[in-house]
């Protein structure tokens, strides 16, 4: 319904000639979509086009933005020519020709030369998206229409408005990822973004303690309070801004870095992760105009999702986001025959491709809820009453208390105005009850929200007697409460003395003595923290009359201390003096992480990802330390040199596909393969020779790389396997990996072969089998005796040794029992060689094995 989103009569005097900019060459009635990321000058361009025409209007998503641009246009055209039209505030001079509005209050049917719609990508938003969609489809300027928004909107503009010209705008500056940092490491001129009032307050309190304070910006603040807090930051009185995601819409501030305290929020329905487009909208506040900016996350917040993924970083830096494929739509002109017809029209699906029904907004939820009350239904006797009731249901929920609470307020309001207008005394009394500047931050915010509701009500000429007077009273009360709220925020979150001290330290901080005593950082012999690896940790128990100055002095000197420590560490790493540890894919020093290993181009070549504490070092020192860490990592992974040789050989042309496949299997399985399933029989003589030269041992049961049967080699391979998401080897309980161990068949360590209740290391197994074959060769084809003494000395039981021999192709011959009446020890077991062919090298189906009887027969037939 048009009336519900700005039903007003505009007295607009149009000039006879359009003031067209000489650079403009557009056709009459042209529609242009100017799309791009943040900081592309879209809004500035729209203001230029607005002022170049004889009349016009721009619809903004926020009252604050409409007010900001209103002030700018007033400076160009004069206050008597410019109107501000929002739900809560209307400044409408008689001869106003240029209108700055919220998108709901836009005069859709007015005869204006220019019409602009800002942040049009919000047409995909759940609560207000249908309003933006309606403005995209129906709000038109006589000479020019301009749709401003994100590049993600381009496909929908082309689908819904094929006649529109889409113009892309590049970002003026570069936006890059700055990584994760602790709050104490966030540089001045930064904004920290949180997604709850509690977290905003907690972060602002911490900044007050060790940085002198912060300005606070939240969506619940009134525009006046918000502007006052922004000025606190812009003037340099504080160097930090703590905000909710309200910062992402239209605030152009001198921000160099945006730090996210979390990456998820409650969207009114569920807690969810921000979309990349939402992340970019907020991160884009950094680096305005020609200055580059950075974004990152805040560590130590307790949030489980406070890290960007690589894909999200790429999308934000390159401004590449999934395009919008659907826009929300709701019938803007429903019928008011009765409540059922009105609700049916508001819930009716769109007929045009690319549009989907809007989720139930709060105005429709209130309408449906109150339609169940008999007293309300009985009062809606005519279409005019139904239309009036729908306007009342469209009252915004400024207090953000939900449909249940808001419906009670709307119900009382309807009872008061359904028969006429609210009396001036009643409205004045309701507003006066809120005119109390005492109380804490939350109390004042609640009063301001309630006052905004009355300001909205007072703007409706058919709702309130003495509309102008009541609206002026509501604005005055809101201004007083906003001043009080600004004072409370400043008192709570800004320590003016500390802030001034921090800014005026100058050379004074440099005069304070800062030194390192072991791991402790001392300022004027007062311990204020310690170095944890390459990080400075503030001691929360520090007591001193001027603690802030001490911290400032430490911050000035600690980078020098860290630089020296990092330089010394790099030297110690190169000489082998530094005690580094590699565990769970992390390289640490003194328990503090220096770098992480990440999967590289293949299993054996991981990437080194430096910790933020190392990244924060100067370029030269960081480079030295990175080289030292890479050298140390190479030495730690030296036990895998044998696998590196296999990898290199697998890439040579002479290897052939059969050998290459076998080598790749060895690399991916820690240098060990069961011979029976290895496809060894596919190798020719030259390939087998090459395999032997590479140090690969081909045994009766296994093919293996002897160097990998050591604990350091397996541990190194396990680290790389975990990075690649592969199963890690089961370590031997005994770090020396003895020849034989006792275990069950379900927990056989890597490098061992199960033998009943025992397991034998595969190289020892091959050694024992080779010795057995040596005895077999001596006795030719006769039966022979194998002495188990050596196997027993290695820890094998006789029955385990016998099982190994059977696996190796030997078969025992049970000795004859002693004759009756003969006494003495039983005859020892004899063995003979009778391998199970299928257990060793299974020939390919249909292929005659060379040297067999069948091969000779085939030769005769030929």
């Amino acid at each position: 319904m048009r009336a519900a989103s700005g039903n007003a009569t505009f007295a607009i005097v149009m000039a006879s000639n359009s003031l067209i900019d000489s650079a403009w060459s557009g056709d009459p009635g042209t529609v242009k979509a100017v799309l791009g990321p943040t900081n592309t000058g879209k809004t500035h361009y729209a203001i230029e086009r607005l002022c170049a025409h004889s009349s016009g209007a721009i619809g903004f998503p926020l009252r604050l933005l409409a007010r900001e641009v209103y002030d700018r246009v007033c400076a160009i055209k004069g206050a008597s020519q410019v109107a501000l039209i929002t739900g809560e505030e209307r400044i409408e001079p008689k001869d106003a020709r240029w209108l700055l509005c919220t998108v709901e209050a836009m005069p859709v049917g007015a005869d204006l030369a220019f019409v602009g719609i800002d942040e049009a990508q919000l047409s995909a938003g759940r609560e207000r998206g249908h309003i933006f969609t309606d403005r995209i489809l129906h709000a038109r300027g006589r000479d020019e229409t301009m749709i401003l928004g994100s590049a993600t909107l381009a496909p929908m503009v082309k689908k819904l408005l094929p006649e529109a010209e889409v113009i892309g705008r590049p970002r003026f500056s570069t936006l890059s990822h700055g990584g994760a940092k602790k709050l104490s490491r966030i540089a001045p001129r930064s904004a920290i973004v949180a997604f709850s009032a509690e977290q905003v307050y907690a972060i602002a309190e911490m900044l007050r303690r060790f940085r002198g304070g912060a300005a606070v910006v939240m969506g619940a603040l009134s525009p006046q309070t918000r502007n006052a807090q922004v000025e606190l930051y812009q003037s340099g009185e504080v160097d930090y801004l703590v905000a909710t995601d309200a910062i992402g819409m239209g605030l152009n501030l001198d921000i160099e870095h945006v730090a996210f305290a979390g990456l998820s929020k409650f969207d009114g329905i569920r807690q969810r992760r921000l979309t990349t487009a939402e992340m970019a909208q907020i991160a884009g506040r950094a680096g305005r105009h020609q200055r580059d900016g950075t974004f990152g996350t805040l560590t130590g917040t307790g949030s489980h999702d406070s890290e960007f993924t690589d894909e999200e970083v790429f999308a934000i830096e390159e401004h590449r986001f999934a395009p919008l494929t659907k826009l929300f739509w709701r019938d803007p002109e429903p019928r008011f025959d009765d409540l059922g017809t009105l609700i049916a029209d508001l819930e009716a699906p769109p007929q045009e491709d690319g549009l989907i029904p809007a989720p139930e907004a709060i105005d429709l939820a209130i309408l449906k809820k109150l339609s169940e009350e008999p007293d309300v239904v009985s009062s809606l006797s005519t279409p005019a009453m139904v239309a009036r009731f729908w306007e009342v249901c469209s009252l915004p929920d400024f207090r953000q208390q939900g449909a249940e609470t808001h419906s009670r307020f709307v119900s009382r309001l309807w009872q008061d105005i359904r028969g006429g207008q609210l009396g001036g005394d009643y409205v004045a009394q309701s507003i006066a009850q809120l005119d109390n500047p005492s109380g804490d931050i939350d109390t004042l915010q609640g009063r301001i929200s309630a006052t905004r509701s009355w300001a909205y009500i007072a703007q409706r000429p058919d709702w309130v007697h003495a509309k102008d007077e009541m609206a002026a009273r509501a604005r005055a009360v809101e201004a007083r409460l906003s001043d009080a709220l600004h004072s409370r925020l400043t008192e709570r979150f800004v320590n003016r003395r500390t802030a001034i001290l921090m800014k005026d330290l100058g050379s004074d901080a440099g005069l304070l003595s800062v030194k390192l005593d072991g791991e402790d950082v001392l300022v004027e012999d007062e311990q204020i923290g310690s170095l944890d690896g390459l990080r400075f940790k503030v001691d929360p128990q520090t007591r001193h009359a001027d603690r802030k100055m001490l911290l400032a002095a430490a911050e000035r000197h600690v980078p020098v201390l860290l630089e020296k420590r990092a330089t010394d560490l790099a030297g110690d790493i190169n000489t082998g003096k530094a005690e580094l540890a590699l565990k769970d894919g992390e390289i640490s020093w003194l328990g503090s992480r220096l770098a992480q290993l990440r999967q590289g181009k293949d299993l054996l070549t991981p990437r080194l990802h430096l910790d933020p504490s190392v990244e924060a070092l100067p370029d030269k020192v960081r480079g030295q330390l990175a080289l030292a860490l890479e050298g140390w990592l190479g030495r730690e992974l030296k036990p895998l040199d044998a696998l590196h040789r296999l990898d290199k050989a697998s890439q040579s042309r002479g290897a052939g596909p059969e050998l290459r496949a076998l080598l790749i299997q060895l690399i991916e399985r820690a240098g060990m393969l069961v011979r029976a399933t290895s496809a060894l029989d596919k190798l020719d003589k030259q390939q087998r020779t090459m395999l032997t030269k590479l140090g690969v041992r081909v045994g009766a049961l296994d093919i293996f790389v002897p160097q990998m049967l050591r604990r350091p080699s397996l541990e190194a391979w396990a680290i790389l396997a975990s990075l690649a998401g592969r199963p890690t080897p089961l370590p031997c309980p005994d770090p020396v990996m003895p020849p034989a161990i006792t275990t069950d068949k379900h927990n056989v360590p890597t490098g061992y072969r199960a033998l009943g209740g025992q397991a034998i290391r595969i190289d020892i197994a091959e050694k024992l089998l080779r010795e057995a074959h040596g005895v077999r060769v001596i006795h030719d084809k006769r039966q022979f005796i194998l002495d188990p003494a050596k196997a027993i000395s290695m820890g094998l039981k006789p029955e385990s040794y016998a099982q190994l021999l059977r696996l190796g192709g030997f078969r025992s011959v049970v000795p004859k029992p002693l004759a009756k009446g003969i006494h003495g020890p039983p005859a020892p077991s004899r063995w003979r060689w009778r391998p199970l062919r299928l257990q060793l090298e299974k020939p390919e189906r249909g292929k005659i094995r060379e040297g067999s009887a069948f091969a000779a027969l085939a030769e005769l037939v030929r």
Side-chain angles (χ1 to χ4, degrees):
M1 185 182 74
R2 306 279 187 212
S5 42
N7 186 16
T9 302
F10 298 94
I12 303 175
V13 178
M14 301 297 180
S16 58
N17 299 316
S18 297
L19 302 176
I20 304 297
D21 191 291
S22 60
W24 176 253
S25 59
D27 295 328
T30 185
V31 178
K32 289 204 171 189
V34 182
L35 308 178
T38 56
N39 192 27
T40 57
K42 298 187 296 291
T43 304
H44 181 76
Y45 179 52
I47 295 171
E48 287 183 346
R49 297 307 309 145
L50 171 74
C51 294
H53 286 278
S54 60
S55 62
I58 301 179
F60 296 93
L62 298 175
R63 171 190 173 194
L64 177 73
L65 299 180
R67 180 76 202 209
E68 179 184 328
V69 177
Y70 166 78
D71 292 336
R72 292 171 62 181
V73 178
C74 281
I76 299 171
K77 296 295 186 181
S80 63
Q81 302 281 309
V82 185
L84 174 67
I85 305 172
T86 71
E88 307 146 65
E89 185 177 11
R90 289 174 181 262
I91 303 174
E92 300 178 82
K94 179 181 177 183
D95 298 328
R97 293 189 290 160
W98 293 278
L99 318 177
L100 290 313
C101 324
T102 51
V103 71
E104 287 86 351
M106 287 183 70
V108 176
D111 183 18
L112 299 168
F114 174 86
V115 167
I117 305 161
D118 193 27
E119 304 292 356
Q121 76 276 1
L122 293 180
S123 51
R126 297 185 59 86
E127 185 66 27
R128 302 166 66 206
H130 61 279
I131 299 172
F132 283 85
T133 300
D134 176 60
R135 302 304 184 260
I136 291 172
L137 295 175
H138 300 113
R140 292 292 179 268
R142 185 176 61 249
D143 299 326
E144 183 183 352
T145 301
M146 187 173 290
I147 300 170
L148 312 172
S150 167
T152 58
L153 187 63
M156 294 308 302
V157 171
K158 293 175 182 177
K159 177 179 285 190
L160 299 174
L161 306 173
E163 75 281 3
E165 178 184 357
V166 178
I167 302 173
R169 302 272 295 194
R171 183 177 166 90
F172 291 151
S173 59
T174 300
L175 188 62
S176 57
H177 184 226
K181 298 179 182 178
K182 291 183 179 180
L183 186 61
S184 58
R185 302 290 295 177
I186 299 295
R189 311 313 293 169
S190 295
I192 296 92
V193 180
F195 295 92
S196 69
E198 294 77 10
Q199 196 173 28
V200 167
Y201 294 161
I203 293 172
E205 289 276 15
M206 286 189 283
L207 286 172
R208 181 184 189 275
R209 287 199 297 270
F210 59 81
R211 285 290 186 271
V216 172
V217 171
M218 298 187 292
L221 301 182
S222 66
Q224 182 175 334
T225 306
R226 192 171 171 181
N227 286 339
Q229 287 290 302
V230 166
E231 179 58 27
L232 193 67
Y233 174 82
Q234 287 291 83
S235 66
E237 189 168 342
V238 294
D239 277 330
Y240 296 89
L241 182 74
V242 186
T244 60
D245 54 344
I247 193 179
M249 198 65 68
L251 276 180
N252 297 322
L253 306 175
D254 298 327
I255 296 173
E256 297 176 6
H257 179 76
V258 172
F260 289 74
L263 294 174
S264 65
K265 71 173 184 177
F266 182 72
D267 63 2
I269 298 178
R270 60 187 175 86
Q271 187 76 16
R272 64 169 178 83
R273 190 173 179 86
L274 300 175
T275 65
T276 52
E278 290 170 332
M279 295 174 184
Q281 185 73 26
I282 297 170
R285 297 303 105 190
R288 307 304 292 172
H289 305 299
Q290 299 296 325
R291 294 193 310 276
D292 293 339
T294 59
F295 68 96
T297 53
L298 198 64
T299 60
T301 61
S303 177
H304 67 283
D305 63 345
S306 59
E307 286 289 341
F308 288 104
T309 65
D310 293 341
E311 292 79 7
E312 289 167 343
V313 170
F314 175 80
I316 296 170
E317 290 182 338
E318 300 297 326
H319 316 298
R320 297 184 182 180
F321 311 105
L324 297 176
T325 57
K326 301 290 182 182
L327 301 184
F328 287 124
W329 178 91
R330 191 173 75 180
D331 190 349
E333 295 180 341
R335 294 166 294 170
F336 299 109
D337 299 349
D338 53 52
L339 273 179
T341 301
L342 173 59
I343 293 173
D345 283 358
L346 293 173
E347 293 183 333
Q351 301 301 312
E352 190 164 354
D353 184 38
L355 303 179
I356 57 175
E360 185 178 88
I362 192 167
D363 53 1
L364 179 56
I366 298 299
L367 174 67
K368 292 169 70 174
K369 187 172 183 62
L370 295 183
S371 67
E372 299 173 356
E373 297 184 7
D375 186 45
V376 171
V377 175
S378 63
S379 67
L380 305 177
S381 56
T382 65
M385 291 296 286
V386 175
R388 184 177 176 84
F389 178 61
W390 173 232
E391 289 185 354
V392 174
C393 290
S394 299
L395 172 69
D397 181 17
F398 292 106
R399 292 172 293 181
Q400 298 293 309
Q401 293 181 335
E404 185 67 34
T405 301
H406 189 53
S407 66
R408 291 196 290 269
F409 181 76
V410 172
S411 178
R412 290 195 301 270
L413 177 62
W414 173 246
Q415 298 300 327
D416 291 336
I417 70 170
R418 66 183 184 181
Q421 294 178 304
L422 294 173
D425 291 344
Y426 171 74
V427 176
Q429 182 180 3
S430 298
I431 295 173
Q433 290 175 351
L434 300 170
D435 191 6
N436 179 4
S438 63
D440 59 16
I441 291 174
D442 292 336
T443 300
L444 289 171
Q445 282 186 252
R447 289 187 190 132
I448 290 175
S449 297
T451 304
R452 293 178 68 186
S453 296
W454 284 108
Y456 183 96
I457 293 168
Q459 296 294 339
R460 273 59 193 163
D462 56 339
W463 288 11
V464 179
H465 286 296
K467 174 183 80 74
D468 293 338
E469 179 186 349
M470 295 303 106
R473 289 194 181 197
R475 286 198 300 270
V477 171
E478 182 183 351
R480 284 192 288 273
L481 293 175
S482 295
D483 288 340
L485 178 57
H486 175 62
S487 296
R488 296 294 187 285
L489 290 170
T490 304
E491 289 169 6
R492 178 171 174 181
F493 301 125
V494 178
N495 184 328
R496 294 186 182 275
R497 176 181 177 276
T498 301
I500 293 172
L501 179 63
M502 293 289 292
K503 290 185 177 301
D504 293 344
L505 284 173
S507 59
D508 294 340
L511 296 176
L512 297 176
S513 168
V514 180
K515 60 184 178 181
L516 191 62
D517 182 12
E519 300 298 308
D520 297 332
V521 177
L522 307 179
V523 176
E524 295 294 320
D525 295 326
E526 182 81 15
Q527 181 184 355
I528 62 166
S530 59
L531 292 186
D532 178 13
L534 295 177
R535 295 182 177 87
F536 173 62
K537 297 179 67 174
V538 178
D539 181 7
Q541 304 302 319
T542 299
R543 293 290 184 267
H544 196 281
D546 248 334
R547 182 171 181 266
K548 298 296 181 183
M549 176 174 277
L550 300 181
L551 290 174
E555 285 186 358
R556 171 167 293 192
H557 290 272
V558 161
V560 178
L561 298 176
L562 290 176
E563 183 176 347
K564 183 179 184 306
R565 171 172 269 211
T567 302
D568 294 342
L569 175 59
D572 289 345
I573 293 173
N574 290 329
T575 58
K577 296 179 181 178
E579 296 181 2
L580 302 187
L582 177 58
K583 185 178 181 182
D584 297 330
E586 292 185 354
I587 300 176
S588 59
W589 174 58
L590 301 178
S592 179
R593 187 174 66 189
L594 295 177
Q596 277 185 314
L597 298 188
R598 295 187 178 177
Q599 185 178 1
K601 63 179 181 179
D602 55 49
L603 180 66
L604 298 178
T605 54
R607 290 187 298 112
L608 199 64
H609 182 75
L610 298 179
D611 187 75
S613 63
V614 179
E615 290 284 4
L617 296 169
D619 293 345
K620 181 179 179 181
V621 179
R622 183 176 65 247
Q624 292 173 350
L625 186 54
L627 285 175
L629 289 173
E630 288 174 357
W632 180 86
L633 179 62
R635 294 190 293 274
E636 284 294 299
L637 299 181
K638 191 170 182 58
L640 300 179
D641 281 353
L643 294 186
H644 278 286
R645 288 195 297 273
L646 300 189
D647 183 53
K648 184 177 179 180
S650 71
Q651 299 174 30
S652 68
R653 292 185 178 180
E658 299 84 0
L659 179 57
R660 185 177 298 114
L662 182 61
L663 293 176
I664 291 174
Q665 286 188 77
L666 282 168
I667 294 170
E668 292 182 344
R669 300 183 185 179
M672 303 166 218
L673 289 175
V674 176
R675 175 172 175 167
T677 59
S678 66
L680 178 70
D681 58 305
K682 294 183 179 181
L683 302 187
D684 57 29
K685 184 176 181 180
Q686 183 180 355
Q687 289 174 320
R688 289 192 181 224
T689 301
M690 186 175 178
L691 189 65
T692 303
K693 289 181 178 180
L694 289 171
V696 178
R697 187 169 298 173
V698 178
L701 300 178
D702 298 283
I703 302 174
F704 58 94
V705 179
Q707 291 91 328
M708 292 302 297
L709 295 175
R710 300 168 185 167
R711 186 65 171 260
S713 299
L714 289 175
E715 288 178 346
W717 191 87
I719 292 172
L720 301 187
S722 65
L723 295 179
R726 300 177 183 276
T728 55
L730 182 65
C732 178
D734 190 333
V736 301
M737 295 186 67
I741 59 172
T742 300
T743 184
D744 62 81
K745 63 180 180 180
H746 300 295
N747 293 290
V748 179
T750 302
Y752 284 79
R753 175 172 284 278
L755 297 174
Q758 288 189 291
I760 186 170
R761 210 169 68 210
I762 60 177
D763 60 333
I764 300 300
E766 296 302 333
K767 183 177 181 180
L768 292 175
L769 289 175
R770 280 200 309 272
E771 291 183 356
H773 279 291
V775 175
R776 176 182 69 84
V777 170
I778 295 172
H779 291 82
D780 195 13
K781 296 183 179 181
R782 292 172 294 165
Q783 297 178 3
F784 48 89
I785 298 173
L786 293 175
D787 186 359
K790 189 167 186 178
I792 294 173
S793 69
M794 292 179 177
L796 276 183
K797 298 177 182 178
E799 56 268 28
S800 298
Y801 178 56
Q803 184 176 351
L804 173 63
L805 292 173
R806 285 193 293 272
L807 289 174
F810 293 91
R811 296 292 170 263
S812 63
V813 179
V814 179
K816 294 180 180 180
L818 295 175
K820 190 173 182 181
I822 303 301
H823 300 282
S829 296
R830 290 179 172 273
W831 295 86
R832 61 181 174 179
W833 171 244
R834 186 174 292 176
L836 292 176
R837 298 291 183 187
L838 294 177
Q839 190 172 322
L840 297 177
E841 297 179 15
K842 185 177 180 180
E844 295 181 20
R845 182 182 299 274
K847 183 178 179 180
I848 300 174
R849 189 167 60 252
E850 186 177 345
S852 67
F854 290 102
L857 180 60
E859 187 66 29
L860 290 174
V861 172
R862 194 177 303 162

